Amino acid sequence: MARTRGSWTGGTLTAGSLLKPQDVARVVFHPAWIPQPLDPSVERLKRFRVLAGAVASLGVFTFIERGFDFTELLENAMTASVVLLFLTPLTVGAMLWVWRRGGTVRQLRVPLLNSLKLLLLFVGCVAALLLLVRTTNASDSVVMILAVGLTMMWMLIFTAYGAVRVSGNFFGTAAVHRCLPPLLAVVTSWLMAIPDLVTGDLHGLSLTLGIVFILGAPVTVTAIALLEMGRLRRRYGIRLKAHPATLPPTPGPVPGPAPQMPPPGSPYLPPQGNPYGRPYAPGGQHPYATHPQPPYNPHPQPPYNPQPPYGG
C-alpha cells in the first residue's frame, strides 16, 4: 500500500471501502504515518508477539471455565482498553524522562499526538461496540434489532481487525521510537497478569493450568519483545534508552528478490533457427551480405582454344 507522509489514510480509502470493514480497519488503525518495518525477520517476530498477546487479552479463562460469552468478552476488552488509555501515556512519559538528556519532547510532538489520537480512536470504537451489543440485547423491537444488529456486525469486524493492527504497531508508537511497541507489549501483558498473581485467582483452573495461562502469555511476549529489540539494536543501532533524535538514520525496508525477467525476443515464439540448414558453404559469405560475391567468374576461361573458321 502506498503511504503518504503526513496523511492518515494515505489516499487509499474510498466510498467502496465502506462495504469491507476489514479494509477500513487496515487503513484507519495502521495509518500512513506509521513507518514501514525495517526487516522481514523483525516483522515475523512482531506477528508472534501479537499472537502471544492475544492469548492474554482475549481471556482464555472464559472459554475453559464458563464457555464463550460475547458480552463478557467485550467487557473485558473494554476494561483492557481503559487500562491501555492510562498505561500507554504513562509508559511513554517514563521513556521521555529517560530520553530527556538526548533531546526534547518538542521534537517528538507530532508522532506523540498521532499515537494519542489512534489510542483514543480505538478505545472509542470498543466502547461504541459494547454499547451496540447492550442495546441489541435489551431491545424488543425486531426492526431495532435488525438495524442495530447490522451496524453491530460491521463494527465487530472493524474493531476486531483494528485490535490486530494496534496490537502490532501499539497505536503507532513506532513513529516515536522503534522499540516502544515491544516495550508496551511487555508492560501490558505483565500488568494484566499481576492481579491474578497477587490474588491467586486461577479462575477455577488447576494449579498447573492456572500458572500456564497466567504466566504463559507475558513470559512469551517478553521473550519475543527482547529478541525483537535485540535485533533492532544489533542490525540498525536502535537502542531503547537513546532519544529518537540521536539514533542513526534507518534504511528503507529490505527489498525482496528481484523478479525473473523473461529472455529477450517475442514472448509468443520460441527461438527460431534456420529451417533450411546451412545457408551457405563454409568459407562463403552470407547470402544477404552488403557486397555478395558474384555467383560466377566475370572472366571465365574458354573451354577450348578458339580457331579462326577459315584457317590462319
Side-chain angles (χ1 to χ4, degrees):
M1 180 185 301
R3 300 188 182 278
T4 305
R5 183 176 297 275
S7 172
W8 192 281
T9 63
T12 60
L13 193 61
T14 62
S17 302
L18 297 178
L19 299 177
K20 299 178 180 180
Q22 65 272 19
D23 293 344
V24 181
R26 183 178 62 250
V27 175
V28 171
F29 290 109
H30 195 87
W33 46 265
I34 295 180
Q36 295 284 358
L38 292 176
D39 195 298
S41 62
V42 176
E43 187 67 14
R44 287 192 295 269
L45 288 175
K46 184 185 300 183
R47 293 176 183 175
F48 285 119
R49 170 168 56 80
V50 171
L51 181 61
V55 175
S57 60
L58 291 179
V60 274
F61 311 112
T62 305
F63 294 92
I64 296 178
E65 183 182 359
R66 290 181 296 274
F68 181 77
D69 189 339
F70 184 68
T71 304
E72 183 179 356
L73 178 62
L74 284 180
E75 292 175 352
N76 293 340
M78 187 67 215
T79 303
S81 299
V82 173
V83 172
L84 287 174
L85 185 60
F86 292 96
L87 177 64
T88 303
L90 286 176
T91 305
V92 175
M95 292 309 303
L96 290 175
W97 185 81
V98 173
W99 298 335
R100 68 190 187 280
R101 295 182 179 179
T104 63
V105 179
R106 183 181 296 274
Q107 295 173 285
L108 309 174
R109 181 179 57 183
V110 174
L112 285 173
L113 290 178
N114 287 335
S115 298
L116 180 60
K117 293 176 185 178
L118 189 56
L119 173 61
L120 294 175
L121 177 61
F122 178 74
V123 175
C125 289
V126 175
L129 179 59
L130 181 59
L131 179 62
L132 287 174
V133 171
R134 288 179 174 177
T135 303
T136 304
N137 294 337
S139 177
D140 295 331
S141 173
V142 178
V143 178
M144 185 68 175
I145 292 177
L146 290 177
V148 179
L150 291 176
T151 305
M152 183 190 69
M153 291 303 299
W154 193 96
M155 282 294 300
L156 175 61
I157 300 174
F158 174 74
T159 307
Y161 274 85
V164 174
R165 291 291 174 177
V166 297
S167 297
N169 58 51
F170 242 95
F171 311 107
T173 50
V176 181
H177 196 292
R178 293 275 186 175
C179 290
L180 274 181
L183 173 64
L184 288 168
V186 171
V187 174
T188 303
S189 60
W190 278 106
L191 185 64
M192 296 180 65
I194 285 177
D196 294 328
L197 291 175
V198 173
T199 60
D201 185 8
L202 301 180
H203 299 269
L205 302 174
S206 64
L207 179 62
T208 303
L209 286 178
I211 293 177
V212 168
F213 283 117
I214 291 176
L215 294 180
V219 169
T220 305
V221 170
T222 302
I224 296 175
L226 291 177
L227 185 58
E228 183 179 346
M229 288 189 288
R231 290 192 178 184
L232 289 174
R233 181 182 67 254
R234 291 191 302 270
R235 297 184 179 184
Y236 305 102
I238 300 176
R239 299 178 179 274
L240 176 62
K241 294 183 179 181
H243 190 281
T246 63
L247 294 175
T250 56
V254 178
Q260 296 292 334
M261 299 300 294
S266 174
Y268 305 105
L269 294 176
Q272 299 295 316
N274 182 16
Y276 304 107
R278 304 181 68 177
Y280 50 89
Q285 281 193 331
H286 194 277
Y288 301 105
T290 306
H291 302 288
Q293 291 289 346
Y296 56 90
N297 192 344
H299 303 288
Q301 293 294 329
Y304 56 89
N305 286 328
Q307 297 294 331
Y310 303 104

